[in-house]
Amino acid sequence: GQGEHSISQILIGDTDINAYQEASYEIVAPGNSVTLFPTNVYTSAEAGGQELYASNEDGYPADGWVGPFPANASGTTTTEIGIDVIYPKGLYKANAKGDLNPESVVVQAQYRLINDAGTPLGAWTTLFTSTESGPTTTPQRRTTSTVVATGRYEVRLRRTDLKDLSSRAGNEAVWEGMRSYL
């Protein structure tokens, strides 16, 4: 809540929050700043829902890249860029018995400095390269956040592995979103 409070216990359900090693919390007095997570976040509308095609698929872009899209708005700077990639069918290949074997997808992201008009000011640099593997039919979502020097950037992504085109395989990749922390 907002304002002054007297706190005697913090619970998740009936369990003390300290029983959960992965849980974090912060008590912020009125007038103080939140430090546990960024509070000023820009979300790129353009990056959402872009399928990352492999070079052996129809729909593969001529240069292989999806984007570029601005990571942060004109007139702002960022120090961290977060990329969300989803694997909507999971990552697997079913063998003849129906057992699941792992499938992998490799995604590369690059970024470069741009000015407020969107004109590039530098060369492309690798932001990250990630390999995600399964065997799972459960949709997967991976977020990769990378700290960058203060600036305004654009980002592009591509899939660098070949897609298993078998009807028994699930290995699609979709660039679901991008955020920058201002």
Side-chain angles (χ1 to χ4, degrees), residues 24-56:
S24 301
Y25 66 93
E26 180 177 32
I27 299 169
V28 181
N32 290 348
S33 298
V34 173
T35 61
L36 186 61
F37 56 87
T39 57
N40 193 5
V41 179
Y42 173 82
T43 302
S44 171
E46 299 91 349
Q50 303 291 328
E51 186 157 354
L52 301 175
Y53 292 101
S55 62
N56 63 330

Side-chain angles (χ1 to χ4, degrees), residues 11 41 55 60 73 82 96 103 111 136 141 146 148 157 170 178-179:
L11 304 172
V41 179
S55 62
Y60 184 74
E103 278 287 325
Y111 72 118
T136 181
R141 179 186 189 101
T146 306
V148 296
L157 263 66
M178 177 169 56
R179 288 166 311 293

